[in-house]
Amino acid sequence: MPDAPSANVPDRNLALELVRVTEAAAMAGGRWVGRGDKNRADGAAVEAMRALISTVEMRGTVVIGEGEKDNAPMLFNGEKVGDGTGPEVDVAVDPIDGTTLTAKGMPNAIAVMAVSDRGSMYDPSAVFYMDKLVAGPEVADVVDIRLPAAENVRRIARAKKQQPEDVTVVMLDRPRHDRLAQEVRDSGARIKLISDGDVAGAISAARETTGIDLLLGIGGTPEGIITACAIKCLGGVIQGRLWPQDDDERQKAIDAGHDLDAVLTTDDLVTSDNCFFVGTGITDGELLQGVRYSRGRATTNSIVMRSKSGTVRVIESHHVLDRTAGLPRSEA
């Protein structure tokens, strides 16, 4: 008979508890889709996520949350979450990855959460932005963030027995990416520009069925760590280099002992091999469908992944709103 799981190690049952948390956040935030108020949307999702996370059997510490304690009344960095039993874990939350997408009713807004063994997540506090490369398992061994974008496109095309014109690269639509975008276009590859939500974009680059082959460009360091948890489960690759915004942030990073030229790998961003990623769609996208509402009910579409087993589940859930814990019908 196999040994019982240790109380200090996250086990498989945790995954289905966690998805209830992102479902609650998605249903709460989903009420604000297209209503033009990203702060109200985020506030509703945060409140719902916090209500449900307190029921999860874990002793969690928020490593990536809504900000520092003075600026974030709930789910702040360092906050203890869970019901106080079960394993000690690091917790990363983003109640809405893509608040602007939600406010405008645009695709690819999701509620996300990642959990790993305590002390295993990279500390993102020194530098807020990171230059990233994300790709799936089929090309994980051939890409390198230190290479020109065109060379990575060629390597992906060769590994997939395609032409560069068949490759699609996703990146945030930012002026800082103008030169990078031109390099990709000059290689012959296609580009999908996204206004926000690079967690969903990154995971889409790692999954075969999305039509996205590669994510490139500068985005949030916290989002990079959440993505790394997903990549641990999917078997692809994330590489990153810290990208200070100014001289003060650069000096802060150096003083903290960071090598700004170093390439951070998946294992640097999350050292544990036992981590979970869960996400629930708020608006429709390549990764997940958004929340559907109908006569006091809601339907959610979620992805649940665990690195230790490599299992990826896509879950469709049907909710009766006035019976859903933590989601009063008037607020759901």
Side-chain angles (χ1 to χ4, degrees):
M1 179 179 294
D3 294 336
S6 167
N8 292 320
V9 178
D11 74 5
R12 62 188 178 185
N13 297 322
L14 184 60
L16 296 180
E17 286 196 68
L18 296 176
V19 76
R20 293 171 53 244
V21 178
T22 56
E23 286 174 344
M27 286 188 287
R31 286 300 197 191
W32 293 90
V33 168
R35 294 174 65 180
D37 193 333
K38 68 178 186 179
N39 293 327
R40 295 285 294 276
D42 191 51
V46 169
E47 186 174 349
M49 180 172 275
R50 192 173 190 274
L52 265 291
I53 205 171
S54 65
T55 70
V56 177
E57 191 174 307
M58 65 180 181
R59 291 172 289 163
T61 301
V62 176
V63 175
I64 297 167
E66 290 293 284
E68 297 304 319
K69 183 175 181 179
D70 291 345
N71 300 317
M74 292 186 286
L75 298 178
F76 54 83
N77 299 345
E79 182 175 358
K80 303 300 182 182
V81 294
D83 70 356
T85 68
E88 293 189 32
V89 293
D90 284 351
V91 178
V93 298
D94 197 346
I96 300 182
D97 177 45
T99 53
T100 299
L101 301 177
T102 301
K104 294 183 177 180
M106 297 173 68
N108 290 315
I110 61 173
V112 298
M113 183 177 179
V115 168
S116 65
D117 294 325
R118 183 73 182 110
S120 62
M121 289 188 187
Y122 185 84
D123 180 2
S125 60
V127 180
F128 187 76
Y129 284 103
M130 175 186 290
D131 189 15
K132 306 173 197 173
L133 176 152
V134 180
E138 190 176 358
V139 299
D141 293 334
V142 303
V143 293
D144 190 326
I145 195 172
R146 295 167 294 188
L147 295 173
E151 177 61 23
N152 279 313
V153 168
R154 283 191 291 270
R155 289 184 174 207
I156 289 172
R158 191 180 308 123
K160 293 188 173 184
K161 297 179 171 56
Q162 298 174 342
Q163 298 299 316
E165 290 80 5
D166 300 322
V167 175
T168 300
V169 179
V170 64
M171 66 180 69
L172 287 167
D173 188 6
R174 301 288 188 272
R176 63 177 178 259
H177 291 153
D178 287 348
R179 180 178 295 180
L180 176 63
Q182 191 58 52
E183 289 179 31
V184 172
R185 292 182 178 116
D186 290 344
S187 76
R190 303 185 302 171
I191 293 179
K192 179 179 176 62
L193 293 172
I194 55 175
S195 62
D196 294 281
D198 68 342
V199 172
I203 296 170
S204 295
R207 297 202 77 201
E208 292 183 5
T209 58
T210 62
I212 305 295
D213 300 287
L214 179 67
L215 175 136
L216 291 174
I218 296 158
T221 302
E223 288 82 357
I225 298 161
I226 293 172
T227 297
C229 288
I231 296 300
K232 283 266 187 170
C233 303
L234 292 169
V237 62
I238 177 171
Q239 298 173 0
R241 291 183 294 195
L242 297 176
W243 192 80
Q245 299 176 77
D246 52 39
D247 290 340
D248 287 344
E249 193 174 50
R250 176 178 294 275
Q251 191 59 51
K252 178 183 175 183
I254 293 170
D255 291 345
H258 293 289
D259 180 355
L260 299 179
D261 295 321
V263 175
L264 299 170
T265 66
T266 310
D267 287 333
D268 292 323
L269 297 174
V270 184
T271 60
S272 172
D273 287 324
N274 188 26
C275 52
F276 299 82
F277 174 92
V278 294
T280 301
I282 298 173
T283 60
D284 289 347
E286 287 87 358
L287 187 63
L288 295 165
Q289 285 189 339
V291 184
R292 305 285 199 272
Y293 300 96
S294 176
R295 291 184 296 181
R297 297 175 181 269
T299 301
T300 56
N301 185 224
S302 303
I303 189 167
V304 181
M305 302 186 276
R306 186 188 185 198
S307 64
K308 193 169 184 179
S309 64
T311 302
V312 177
R313 292 182 173 90
V314 178
I315 299 174
E316 180 176 282
S317 300
H318 300 266
H319 310 264
V320 179
L321 294 179
D322 57 5
R323 299 181 193 171
T324 303
L327 271 178
R329 183 169 175 177
S330 61
E331 298 178 9

